[in-house]
Amino acid sequence: MPGRGGRGGTEAEVRGIAIVGAGQAGLQLGLGLLDAGHEVTLVAERRPEDVRAGRVTSTQLMFGPALRIERAAGLALWDDTAPVMPGFELSHWEPEKQREVPVRRFAAPFDEEVRSVDQRVKLAAWLELFEERGGRAEYRSVGPADVAALAAAHDLTVLSTGRGALSALFAPDPSWPVHDRPPRTLACFYVHGVAHDDTDPAAGYVRTTGVPPAGDVIIMRALTVGGPCDIVLFEGRWDGPYDCWGDRPTAAEGWRRALDLLRTYAPWEYERFRHTEPTDPGAALYGAITPTVRRPVAHVDGGRPVLGLADAVAVHDPITGQGANNAARAAASYLTAVLKRGALPFDEEWMRATFDAYWENARHTHAFTEFMLREPQPEQVPLIIQTAFDHPEVAHRFANGYADPPTYREWLMDPEGADAYVARFKK
């Protein structure tokens, strides 16, 4: 039985650890544990070749701090190929008032690199790397009974996926808002054909266009299975124009529908994208996400504890682009906690402390995402954005806060702090 020496035998430093879920967090943690000499079993639903040939799964925008984590772990394998997005652009437009109120827009440079690598590319490569480095990969679906068996056979079992029945293992945290449905409806497309050259430098930025009756369109560059591409994410308000994906069209049909929406609600983006097409048949994703925070420890097999990681315990809407960043931070934080534990047992007290150490910072990221999805929007948000249209300093601060969301607490998310900050620019 692998790794049992971690329970106090002579091989105390080598622990047997099981990870369920092969996303950003699970694979990053698993590879880190392998590098530290532990015996790691990773349970994934799909093999690398199936991941690579499958459908897109996310937008996975990653900011500077998360990219630094990957580089420190030796996992930034695409620094020479993934496009860098040098800045952020936000546009606000009300089409029915276009004669009286023109499009308002600001742009600001990012202080650090921002990139996106299609998870089909990243996770397939990391899965292959995991096996090359001696990790044990099991490709199968997992239910609660399987988790119990894994927990009985390993010193530590970590669940990094919240899909299906596994999510029910972790109780909701009542201190956070409980949503009865997702706040937005989502559609995401990977396309190629946009010209990226000096004639239109903003085409390489992360760009958001907000249209009150419809929602938001968020656009970014990325590296996909066929090379560089652009990602277009529709964050639609329910029953609005962007809430039109219930029939789950093919990538080609969905993109034709998306172009019609851009022509109406973001015509400057339509001009950029009018000659584009999906990168591949799997280049469309439809759905909705209900933000959720769960307690970090579940019990299986008569009370044996297992530890939740990333999506298993905290799920975010992608409007603020924080999902992959949180996963990278969580994996790095958990890895540090495991390595510090030495030969001591991974008991429930340790599990809660491990999550708390990560959540001390991550809770602010979750709060920021909840904040940006409020309906109606908090008054200080349009106040700050209107100020940013006229003052580059405000635009720069707003754009770069996405890399470290806790920095928004004192000036964007706090009404008094926002008023005091804006007042500086009215003198």
Side-chain angles (χ1 to χ4, degrees):
M1 187 176 295
R4 307 311 289 177
R7 295 191 183 275
T10 57
E11 298 178 3
E13 295 302 319
V14 178
R15 316 302 297 269
I17 299 171
I19 300 172
V20 179
Q24 170 85 34
L27 275 165
Q28 182 183 315
L29 175 61
L31 285 160
L33 291 169
L34 280 180
D35 287 348
H38 294 296
E39 297 178 357
V40 185
T41 298
L42 180 79
V43 184
E45 290 189 340
R46 296 181 296 163
R47 297 179 179 276
E49 59 270 23
D50 298 322
V51 173
R52 200 172 277 116
R55 302 184 67 84
V56 298
T57 60
S58 68
T59 55
Q60 68 279 316
L61 185 66
M62 295 193 74
F63 298 96
L67 291 174
R68 291 201 304 273
I69 290 172
E70 285 192 348
R71 290 190 180 114
L75 298 176
L77 309 180
W78 301 275
D79 278 353
D80 294 333
T81 52
V84 175
M85 289 164 274
F88 175 79
E89 180 185 271
L90 185 146
S91 303
H92 180 84
W93 190 42
E94 298 183 48
E96 70 278 8
K97 299 180 181 178
Q98 58 183 305
R99 292 185 179 180
E100 302 86 13
V101 183
V103 177
R104 299 218 67 191
R105 179 176 294 126
F106 71 74
F110 286 127
D111 291 337
E112 295 187 79
E113 288 184 0
V114 177
R115 300 179 189 245
S116 173
V117 176
D118 185 345
Q119 289 198 340
R120 295 179 298 180
V121 174
K122 177 185 285 189
L123 302 185
W126 282 5
L127 271 168
E128 292 167 343
L129 190 62
F130 178 83
E131 293 192 89
E132 289 171 5
R133 293 182 179 179
R136 177 181 178 181
E138 298 180 1
Y139 297 102
R140 56 188 173 93
S141 297
V142 172
D146 302 292
V147 174
L150 287 166
H154 294 84
D155 297 305
L156 171 65
T157 298
V158 180
L159 269 64
S160 64
T161 176
R163 291 183 179 178
L166 295 183
S167 63
L169 293 175
F170 298 93
D173 185 338
S175 65
W176 287 87
V178 177
H179 301 271
D180 57 2
R181 72 168 184 173
R184 296 288 183 96
T185 177
L186 307 172
C188 171
F189 301 93
Y190 286 45
V191 301
H192 52 203
V194 176
H196 288 276
D197 54 44
D198 293 340
T199 63
D200 184 14
Y205 285 18
V206 178
R207 305 188 302 282
T208 295
T209 296
V211 178
D216 299 272
V217 175
I218 302 168
I219 297 171
M220 65 197 75
R221 297 222 68 202
L223 179 70
T224 189
V225 288
C229 71
D230 289 80
I231 298 176
V232 181
L233 171 65
F234 289 86
E235 281 260 352
R237 288 184 166 88
W238 292 105
D239 302 319
Y242 294 166
D243 180 15
C244 62
W245 314 102
D247 58 337
R248 301 297 193 265
T250 65
E253 173 55 34
W255 182 239
R256 284 192 291 270
R257 195 176 303 174
L259 283 173
D260 286 340
L261 293 171
L262 290 179
R263 180 166 24 209
T264 301
Y265 296 102
W268 55 93
E269 294 291 5
Y270 172 76
E271 291 302 319
R272 289 181 172 125
F273 284 91
R274 61 189 302 179
H275 299 301
T276 60
E277 59 184 15
T279 57
D280 61 271
L285 177 67
Y286 309 105
I289 295 173
T290 302
T292 306
V293 178
R294 302 184 180 96
R295 297 193 183 279
V297 179
H299 296 90
V300 297
D301 194 23
R304 192 185 303 273
V306 296
L307 177 61
L309 168 67
D311 284 355
V313 288
V315 181
H316 314 267
D317 184 278
I319 194 168
T320 58
Q322 297 301 318
N325 299 270
N326 286 334
R329 290 188 178 99
S333 180
Y334 280 30
L335 176 62
T336 297
V338 171
L339 300 187
K340 286 183 177 180
R341 193 63 174 168
L344 295 175
F346 299 115
D347 54 23
E348 184 169 344
E349 182 180 359
W350 174 85
M351 290 182 181
R352 295 190 185 281
T354 295
F355 175 78
D356 289 345
Y358 158 69
W359 194 243
E360 178 59 31
N361 181 275
R363 63 189 177 92
H364 300 297
T365 299
H366 190 83
F368 168 60
T369 304
E370 292 267 4
F371 176 82
M372 295 300 286
L373 285 167
R374 286 186 196 170
E375 296 287 356
Q377 204 170 45
E379 293 182 358
Q380 67 265 34
V381 174
L383 175 67
I384 291 291
I385 290 176
Q386 290 294 328
T387 307
F389 289 141
D390 300 315
H391 297 278
E393 177 185 330
V394 182
H396 180 267
R397 190 177 186 186
F398 182 88
N400 284 279
Y402 282 88
D404 188 12
T407 60
Y408 286 123
R409 283 180 296 163
E410 296 181 357
W411 70 282
L412 175 65
M413 298 175 65
D414 176 63
E416 293 183 1
D419 287 341
Y421 181 59
V422 169
R424 294 166 44 188
F425 299 91
K426 294 181 178 180
K427 298 178 181 178

